[in-house]
Amino acid sequence: MATEPGRSAPRVPLSDLVEELLEHEGPLPIVAAGDPVLRRGTEPFDGQLDPRLLTRFVAALRATMHAAPGVGLAAPQVGVPLRIAVIEDPAPVSDEVRLVRGRVPQPFRVLVNPSYDATGPGRAAFYEGCLSVPGWQAVVARHAEVRLTAFDEHGNAVDEVFDGWPARIVQHETDHLDGLLYLDRAELRSLSSNQAAAELWSQPTPDRAAELLGFTLPS
């Protein structure tokens, strides 16, 4: 049946959208910046996917995150406007970077309906990238410590404080669920291609980048 002029087509149920995505083998396609799904925000999860479909979707998000590779992936990044994200970080970095950035291994976890609040005034600024903005990085000042509230994939409540790099991952992925990209919070003078970041700004902190590119880091 044709859609009446001035009216959008009926929205596909999220369960049907996920089923269609999962028909294809291998990692799911990652949506790039410019697609409206990354800017609309998400529906809170309230049983739109039955337990079996949710388990399959979470497994597909994890496989896609690993294949990219990345340390987090939110449902809108595969075109599904649902308030679900996954995170996991083996933290394969040097001891110096681990110390300066607070990057410690994080086990795989599923965040359902997450939200976060800063637990203090501290800010930390480092280069950050995004699977939906491939090829680029920029410095983002984020809360140094946050309290995350959420549920896991089994419906168990999560109430946990994160600091260091895990706090950055939590904020980045939760922001995706609110229609925000890291570039919305970035110091745009720091914007660098992955190649430039690797060749020029691979130091543990972005102090040198701030000096030479002309931007200010939080005190």
Side-chain angles (χ1 to χ4, degrees):
M1 183 173 68
T3 303
E4 292 182 30
R7 293 192 179 185
S8 58
R11 195 183 67 174
V12 176
L14 290 177
S15 58
D16 291 353
L17 176 60
V18 171
E19 287 279 16
E20 183 178 349
L21 275 175
L22 298 181
E23 287 179 0
H24 305 283
E25 294 185 5
L28 304 176
I30 294 178
V31 174
D35 191 307
V37 73
L38 294 173
R39 293 306 199 172
R40 284 198 299 258
T42 51
E43 288 184 22
F45 179 75
D46 188 24
Q48 294 93 332
L49 312 182
D50 65 41
R52 180 174 172 273
L53 184 56
L54 176 61
T55 297
R56 292 171 58 211
F57 183 49
V58 164
L61 288 174
R62 187 182 191 184
T64 303
M65 174 179 65
H66 286 173
V71 296
L73 189 68
Q77 293 182 273
V78 296
V80 179
L82 196 56
R83 202 166 183 83
I84 295 174
V86 297
I87 65 174
E88 185 176 13
D89 184 13
V93 296
S94 68
D95 289 342
E96 182 183 14
V97 169
R98 181 173 291 110
L99 178 64
V100 171
R101 300 182 187 175
R103 187 170 177 181
V104 294
Q106 283 296 298
F108 176 72
R109 62 176 79 203
V110 182
L111 307 180
V112 177
N113 297 338
S115 62
Y116 66 82
D117 292 293
T119 59
R123 306 277 287 178
F126 294 105
Y127 267 98
E128 187 173 319
C130 179
L131 298 178
S132 290
V133 189
W136 299 91
Q137 299 180 42
V139 172
V140 183
R142 292 193 181 272
H143 301 301
E145 184 177 274
V146 295
R147 178 184 178 187
L148 173 78
T149 55
F151 295 91
D152 67 15
E153 67 272 37
H154 307 296
N156 300 311
V158 176
D159 188 340
E160 190 171 342
V161 173
F162 290 80
D163 60 12
W165 206 260
R168 180 169 297 268
I169 297 172
V170 162
Q171 291 171 80
H172 182 116
E173 298 309 327
T174 304
D175 280 358
H176 271 302
L177 305 179
D178 293 327
L180 294 171
L181 295 176
Y182 84 101
L183 290 174
D184 298 324
R185 302 188 185 277
E187 172 51 68
L188 292 183
R189 290 185 69 91
S190 71
L191 186 64
S192 304
S193 68
N194 284 347
Q195 181 178 347
E199 293 177 354
L200 300 172
W201 316 128
S202 60
Q203 301 86 3
T205 74
D207 292 41
R208 181 170 171 77
E211 176 186 357
L212 297 180
L213 296 178
F215 61 90
T216 303
L217 295 171
S219 56

